[in-house]
């Protein structure tokens, strides 16, 4: 964890692999070459690897070595201190350990405007007395749920924070310079320098990322705090996180968000905070979802339409479901599906889907609030977006373009620009114009269209599979009885498998396409990747569901003029209970299957396999340096063997797709939140475990929000309103029932509803060759019935849509308009009613500001009094005279204020 | 403009009125009592008004005087310099002139984080070479449109800005301390101190606003830069603004936004920038609106339905329009209205309303971009919300509440709080809880409901007027011919007058209600006032229009079972051409009338009247001090006689209501943008004139955006989508025509449409006593026709809604859903496609940041080199040793860097 002097902490590690090196320094006393930052120039050449004689290296390796040397010397020029082991063997890994001394930390903290606590503490107001009492009670009740993490004890006081400034050092409570900045901040500062440092040899590239992309370094990572499973009492943050957070055993506890943030940085902290909030928001919706489901179960006996359908006495003779081989059938034979569909198609689901639309709004609003709250406690208020460097790929492309233009003056311009600040070019030539990017964009666009077309055609393929299989099975008498179940089940499983496979492929394709586009910065890269991946995965996961919800059974035609997909095969119809039942099956299998398989196989299985594979590989490779391996491995060796951190995109993506399942079709599957909840309780710990035990420590990234994900979430939330409106209006039988009850029913009940929804068809009008062969139906059939609102055969315009059809359609559409606008209005109202910034936090922020002004004014007065005292005592006349020349008559440099004034302003506990 | 020493600039003026004062110092040599800020305590008592013997003052006046004295001494303690004339007469106005010396300005600028230009200049990148050329051409073309204002010459360079810091004085280009901060910034700083300074005598109130509210001071205002209409060459900003902006003669020119901002501050600058953008956005929509209107005119001859209606041969016999006195009539008699309504009811209006919905989105997006651009050039990026003080009314209420509780300890707590920072109380007792506010909220809520009910009942009253007048007029044969025109015209005028009167009343009521609610800060006060006023004025202006658009003619019933408002008076019907025509008349008269009358009478006439009235009043009052008036009045006298500035709310409100007219019902009145444009061209100059010539100079307020107005605008934009969808679907005949054309027409044309829309009624079924008396219709009538889709008398279910009715209704509703979602989707797309921050600006901001880091790093290296040079020369050993103790080893106080290093970093022109 430290340099060999056991004093200086290792803040960052660069790893590279070297080979074919002549061993010149064999003596173990010299195997450590410390490069320190004393007097820059000469010192390095004395002790560094520069003076080692060169062996017969190949040119590339030599080039890389020189680039590394230049980069490292630039790092030292920036004030960092480096240490590395000598390259003593013919090949092997070298770890360059980097330590940031106090001067560097202080300087960079000032540039980065890192807020640090000042001496001034203040109490956080806990609201009114009732709120306070309630909070105390709640806190006592939740004690077993709280993780046992030290920070939680004193969360009533908060230090006033102020961006670090070396001129105002007296403000801060600096007890020990080595520990003033925590390890995440230290590594962030070093990473910032690494990103900024140029290497002119390596084609003027900026920063460590380009060097890693060019294989000059292999990896760059900050160190973990220690072992997470070490025995003994010595506690480090990683071990604490493991014990209190990253185990399944603590699944019922709150997450120690502050500690996560301290250890992994704000970006990952926000992810887990978001995941936690989402999971806890799933609890109420799960409960209500279960209640809605139970309501369906409880009222199943009172449902008049399903009773009517099951009534054997009053059976309706239905038209055959397929040509020739299918017979007329009794509606009562579909009794079971009708009863089952009542579970999901009852008035309670309408209210549940309104509830869920508002729930989504509430969730987003509360997330905004939590984000603000965390931003306040983590001192993120007022931070600005960080400056971003170009991606290495972008720089390479720009260089290639310039080389192509083959213009000497342009190259010169690049060089001057590079010395001025790297990526800021003044003209078209040194950046990619629209013309350069066009092929990439076109490719992207075409590929996405192709992918979407592929998804649709697979969905269509599954439809054809269903139609043909159903037809084939109904030929066989033995299988005829459960055709529908077999076909539906197999088709959904095919869908699921296709979705899972395409999901992986699309993820890779999206990455590849985004690379082709060559976005300039890491952030635009991420955003575009996310958008593409989201679009593809969304279409992939939801297109079969959309088909079932809105298209299935709508293009069947009518008896006598059916629509045929291809010769002899009719378009598929919905089950007699309505398509909602099928939608529900589809949804539940895809959602559950996706979660179970992706969680178990991809998230748990694949990493384990990878580990196993790497272990095997390591064993097969000749263990060259056994004597060295015998001593306990250093932390950087251990961390090097972990997987590198690759970003939060997959984690977010999984959750967002799940959020879609929970909100989009909630009208048809009220149990979705329950399954999501169960999954997420595991997911939190799974992700936690991954971050704590399986990944290298990520760079601490400071960020205020979750970025584009929030927009996607709120987009899904808005989209879900219209989707649910259509599911209720079009897919479910809710509206036809209402219309029947209030317009056509004689006694205001649903008696006669089933009869009302079935039209008559004159069997004699069936087309030649489509009549059932060998009809074994027990009665003479003159009219068969089919589900549609059409004029009867005896009307003047038979089989046209009847007035009922149009009035039901009007009602459906009116419902969509009312539902959509009502829910949107309510959402806006909720959005408006709940302030984005919690009032207590906004109060605190205001207080903090006025406290800060007071604090400064006090310092000011203190200083003024001192300078005004006429004698000016023994302060050195030369000094004060120079000061008065400097133009700031009253602004004494802060370092001049004597210890007395500092003591008077230090550590005040103000009661707000 | 200056103190009597002609050196120190007057930055702010406090005015108060005194009376009944014994005149003791008669000598003119002493009539000026200069209070300077030398040594605070004693000096004041020597020269100030404190040593004047007290005459027989009444207690209140004495109390006020003491409060003023305390306040002024507190101001001086804060470093401000004051000057005032002696209170030499028995009564009169005294002006306290305030000057902020450099130290105070520097200190406050640091606290307020005011960004000031540094020495470093850089060129603003003008985009690619094509864009550059285009810009040059555009600039040349627009030369006559550009105001001749000096700043515009060098807008290619921008100084790097950085928050003012006294420790980094060397960064800034301070040539003369007196002019480094411009007058708006100076007055802002003084205003900030005035707001912050406490006065413990006046019940611990904070700031000047409370003192003005308690009548201790009468007014507080910064000074104008001089006369706007002075003769001669001497130019000041006010005069420049008057000549280049605030005259009707320059109506065609762009606004000098930068100068406006410099003179009036960011808030007012943003208002005029917004108004300018809005006005320029009205130009394209006006053009397209006129084209749409002309398209209507051009196609009027080809419109088949109106031709059919005018066809005398094929006349339809219509049912009578009222009971008894009305006769049957020929549809061809309504030929003219049918033709006129085609002007506004044609397919082009559908596209126009889609266009306008996108236009609104585009406008808002472009405003966001302009706001960002201005924010960049005005150095507003990264400013935080300013700290806000409680409103005086709020403080009074809190004090009253505490007095009522009559608890000694609580009062004590107030006092400790007051010394600590004023309004931050730690407990429930010293702030208003929900319980305290409840009566206010209830009152507010009830009043708003009452007002809305009042508006609705007035609308209903006008309806009743229309019905009864129409009935009365149709009794008389002479007036019968133009009943409809007379009734409509008079009713609309009544509506207009009511709207204008209620508008004023509602404005006052909203203010009163907001006062009752006692919001804490000025900002919440403004927001609540705006919301209330907007709600009331919106309902007031639009409810008659909504009635005509969506309700008129929909509750008529049908012949034989009409709906009666009250005995004998049927609900009113629309004209045979459809309600759209009437909607159009209503809209145009209300919009035009409102603009003309409010602009002319309220904005021009009333201020003139007020001025006249005050002049008259001044003349009637005994002019006591004529000899003093003879000398030329000082600027503070002149400004005192102007109207005080009362905020931008009315200006914004007027424009927002107009925005509503332009977007909400644009489907029915495509000429609205033209009239809005004409109005706004005048409005800009009218407002400008008011600000430059008629108002006291407002305090310069720094703000990043237009606040709640943006939300209201975007809310109207969203609302307009659904309103337009309904206008097209429900009010216009667009959908029925489409349905007829594609479903019922025999040859795909509209021939027979009129017949299709008219139902039959068997005259014999008219209720007893409602048949036309003395029918003079020229043929025997068996069936009369009426406009509705109902079953004919010979159908099995006569007069029920026919299948056509339901299919047309379905089509209407489907159109609403498609239109709404399509337009919303397009808006989101436009929103997403246009980045909120213009790319060039976001590039510049990034560049600025990296330039800033470079600039600092260079300074840093410079300093490091100096401190590292071993000799440490003659810098005074005591100083440097103390510095190393202070903990910031490498942070030499900035004042120490010698002139050499400063010169090297000064005034670099970097080419980005």
């Amino acid at each position: 964890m430290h340099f060999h002097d056991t004093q200086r902490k290792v803040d960052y590690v660069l790893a590279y692999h070297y080979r074919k090196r002549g061993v010149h320094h064999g003596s173990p006393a010299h195997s450590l070459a410390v490069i320190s930052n004393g007097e820059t120039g000469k010192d390095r050449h004395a002790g560094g690897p520069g003076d080692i004689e060169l062996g017969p290296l190949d040119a590339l390796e030599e080039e890389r070595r020189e680039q590394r040397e230049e980069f490292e010397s630039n790092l030292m020029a920036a004030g960092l201190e480096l240490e590395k082991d000598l390259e003593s063997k013919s090949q092997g890994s070298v770890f360059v350990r980097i330590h940031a001394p106090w001067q560097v930390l202080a300087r960079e903290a000032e540039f980065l405007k890192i807020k640090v606590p000042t001496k001034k503490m203040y109490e956080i107001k806990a609201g009114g007395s009732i709120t306070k009492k309630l909070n105390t009670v709640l806190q006592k009740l939740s004690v077993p749920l709280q993780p046992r993490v030290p920070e939680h004890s004193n969360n009533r006081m908060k230090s006033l924070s102020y961006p670090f400034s070396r001129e105002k050092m007296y403000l801060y409570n600096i007890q020990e310079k080595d520990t003033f900045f925590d390890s995440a901040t230290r590594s962030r500062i070093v990473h910032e320098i690494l990103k900024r440092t140029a290497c002119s040899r390596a084609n003027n590239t900026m920063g460590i990322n380009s060097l890693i992309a060019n294989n000059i370094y292999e990896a760059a990572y900050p160190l973990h705090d220690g072992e997470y499973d070490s025995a003994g009492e010595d506690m480090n943050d990683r071990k604490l996180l493991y014990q209190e957070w990253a185990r399944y055993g603590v699944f019922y506890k709150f997450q120690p968000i502050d500690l996560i943030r301290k250890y992994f940085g704000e970006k990952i902290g926000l992810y887990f905070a978001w995941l936690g909030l989402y999971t806890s928001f799933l609890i109420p919706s799960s409960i209500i979802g279960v209640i809605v489901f139970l309501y369906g179960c409880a009222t199943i006996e009172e449902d008049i339409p399903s009773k009517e359908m099951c009534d054997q006495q009053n059976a309706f003779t239905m038209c055959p479901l397929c040509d020739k081989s299918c017979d007329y059938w009794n509606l009562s034979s579909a009794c079971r599906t009708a009863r089952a569909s009542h579970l999901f198609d009852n008035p309670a689901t309408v209210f549940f889907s309104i509830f869920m639309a508002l729930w989504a709004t509430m969730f987003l609003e509360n997330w905004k609030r939590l984000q603000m709250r965390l931003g306040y406690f983590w001192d993120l208020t007022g931070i600005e977006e960080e400056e971003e460097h170009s991606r290495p790929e972008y720089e390479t492309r720009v260089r290639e373009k310039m080389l192509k233009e083959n213009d000497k003056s342009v190259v010169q311009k690049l060089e001057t620009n590079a010395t001025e600040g790297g990526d800021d070019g003044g003209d078209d030539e040194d950046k990619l114009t629209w013309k350069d990017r066009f092929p990439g964009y076109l490719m992207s666009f075409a590929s996405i269209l192709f992918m979407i077309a592929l998804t649709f055609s697979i969905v269509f393929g599954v439809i054809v599979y269903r139609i043909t299989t159903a037809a084939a099975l109904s030929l066989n008498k033995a299988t005829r009885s459960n055709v529908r179940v077999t076909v539906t089940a197999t088709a959904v499983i095919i869908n699921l498998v296709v979705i899972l496979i395409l999901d992986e492929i699309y993820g890779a394709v999206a990455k590849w396409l985004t690379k082709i586009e060559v976005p300039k910065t890491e952030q635009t890269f991420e955003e575009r990747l996310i958008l593409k991946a989201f679009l593809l995965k969304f279409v992939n996961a939801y297109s079969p569901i959309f088909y079932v919800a809105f298209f299935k059974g709508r293009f069947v035609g009518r008896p006598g003029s059916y629509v045929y997909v291809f010769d002899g095969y009719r378009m598929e119809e919905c089950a007699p209970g309505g398509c909602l039942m099928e939608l529900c099956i589809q949804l539940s299998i895809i959602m559950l299957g996706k979660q179970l398989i992706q969680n178990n196989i991809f998230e748990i299985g694949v990493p384990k396999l990878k580990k196993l594979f790497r272990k095997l590989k390591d064993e097969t490779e000749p263990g060259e340096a056994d004597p060295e391996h015998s001593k306990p491995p250093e932390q950087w060796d251990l961390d090097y063997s972990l997987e590198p951190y690759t970003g939060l995109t997959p984690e977010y993506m999984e959750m967002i797709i799940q959020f879609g399942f929970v909100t989009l079709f909630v009208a048809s599957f009220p149990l979705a939140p329950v399954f999501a909840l169960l999954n997420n309780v595991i997911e939190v710990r799974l992700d936690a475990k991954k971050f704590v035990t399986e990944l290298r420590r990520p760079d601490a990234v400071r960020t205020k929000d979750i970025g584009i994900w929030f927009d996607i979430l709120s987009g899904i939330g808005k989209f879900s309103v219209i989707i649910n409106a259509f599911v209720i209006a079009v897919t479910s039988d809710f509206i036809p029932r209402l219309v029947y009850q209030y317009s056509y029913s004689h006694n205001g009940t649903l008696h006669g509803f089933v009869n009302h929804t079935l039209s008559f068809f004159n069997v004699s009008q069936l087309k030649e060759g489509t009549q059932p062969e060998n009809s074994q139906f027990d009665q003479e059939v003159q009219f068969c019935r089919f589900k549609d609102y059409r004029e009867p055969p005896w009307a003047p315009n038979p089989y046209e849509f009847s007035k009922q059809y149009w009035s039901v359609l009007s009602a459906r559409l009116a419902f969509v308009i009312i539902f959509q606008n009502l829910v949107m209005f309510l959402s806006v109202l909720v959005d408006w009613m709940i302030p984005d910034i919690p009032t207590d936090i906004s109060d605190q922020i205001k207080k903090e500001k006025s406290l800060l002004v007071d604090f400064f004014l006090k310092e000011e007065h203190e200083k003024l009094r001192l300078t005004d005292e006429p004698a000016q005592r023994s302060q050195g006349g030369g000094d004060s005279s120079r000061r008065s020349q400097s133009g700031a008559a009253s602004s004494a440099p802060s370092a001049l204020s004597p210890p007395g004034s500092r003591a008077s302003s230090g550590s005040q506990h103000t009661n707000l």
Side-chain angles (χ1 to χ4, degrees), chain A residues 16-27:
Chain A
Y16 64 87
H17 205 82
Y18 69 94
R19 66 195 164 90
K20 288 188 209 150
R21 191 72 204 265
V23 186
H24 288 262
H25 290 252
S27 73

Side-chain angles (χ1 to χ4, degrees), chain A residues 844-861:
Chain A
Q844 295 296 346
I845 291 172
K846 275 179 199 157
K847 295 281 142 67
E848 197 165 281
K849 261 183 214 161
S850 76
L851 272 180
L852 208 61
V853 170
D854 289 353
F855 188 43
F856 279 4
L857 268 178
K858 210 170 267 170
E859 295 284 331
E860 192 73 23
H861 275 287

Side-chain angles (χ1 to χ4, degrees), chain A residues 572-587:
Chain A
E572 52 182 352
E573 279 178 72
C574 285
C579 274
L580 203 72
M581 191 62 214
E582 251 169 276
L583 177 58
C584 181
I585 295 171
Q586 189 97 13
L587 258 174

Side-chain angles (χ1 to χ4, degrees), chain A residues 494-506:
Chain A
I494 293 172
N495 266 333
L496 175 64
V497 171
V498 167
I499 286 172
L500 288 174
I501 294 170
L502 284 186
D503 227 35
E504 296 300 307
I505 295 174
Y506 285 174

Side-chain angles (χ1 to χ4, degrees), chain A residues 839-885:
Chain A
T839 33
D840 58 331
I841 295 297
S842 78
D843 283 357
Q844 295 296 346
I845 291 172
K846 275 179 199 157
K847 295 281 142 67
E848 197 165 281
K849 261 183 214 161
S850 76
L851 272 180
L852 208 61
V853 170
D854 289 353
F855 188 43
F856 279 4
L857 268 178
K858 210 170 267 170
E859 295 284 331
E860 192 73 23
H861 275 287
E862 213 63 52
K863 262 189 267 171
L864 264 177
R865 217 189 45 204
L866 285 169
T867 46
D868 278 0
E869 273 168 16
Q872 294 203 335
R873 285 177 244 163
S874 60
Q875 300 228 350
D879 171 24
S880 65
S881 68
R882 224 177 324 104
R883 219 173 342 112
S884 60
Q885 286 164 13

Side-chain angles (χ1 to χ4, degrees), chain A residues 19 78 116 259 287 373 524 653 771 804 840:
Chain A
R19 66 195 164 90
V116 290
L259 188 63
I287 293 171
R373 189 178 291 275
T524 46
M653 187 68 75
Q771 293 105 329
Q804 280 87 332
D840 58 331

Side-chain angles (χ1 to χ4, degrees), chain A residues 440-555:
Chain A
Y441 285 148
L442 193 72
M443 181 71 193
S444 244
F445 187 71
S447 308
I448 288 174
L449 278 192
F450 172 74
M451 296 288 147
I452 291 176
L454 180 69
T455 310
F456 286 162
S457 46
I458 287 172
V459 171
F460 186 72
V462 174
I463 296 167
V464 171
Y465 161 81
R466 259 198 304 247
I467 295 170
T468 49
T469 318
L473 287 180
S474 30
L475 284 178
N476 188 331
K477 250 196 181 169
T479 51
R480 196 180 290 170
S481 54
N482 37 16
V483 173
R484 200 174 279 279
V485 177
T486 326
V487 170
T488 307
T490 51
V492 172
I493 288 165
I494 293 172
N495 266 333
L496 175 64
V497 171
V498 167
I499 286 172
L500 288 174
I501 294 170
L502 284 186
D503 227 35
E504 296 300 307
I505 295 174
Y506 285 174
V509 167
K511 205 160 202 168
W512 177 68
L513 288 176
T514 317
K515 271 185 191 153
I516 280 182
E517 281 180 19
V518 204
K520 192 172 170 191
T521 62
E522 205 57 52
Q523 202 195 332
T524 46
F525 182 85
E526 209 181 358
E527 280 191 2
R528 289 198 191 167
L529 173 60
I530 288 170
L531 275 184
K532 277 193 201 66
F534 175 73
L535 185 67
L536 289 176
K537 292 191 175 191
F538 186 87
V539 169
N540 184 31
Y542 290 109
S543 51
I545 297 169
F546 268 90
Y547 165 73
V548 173
F550 300 124
F551 299 106
K552 191 174 181 186
R554 285 180 208 284
F555 307 106

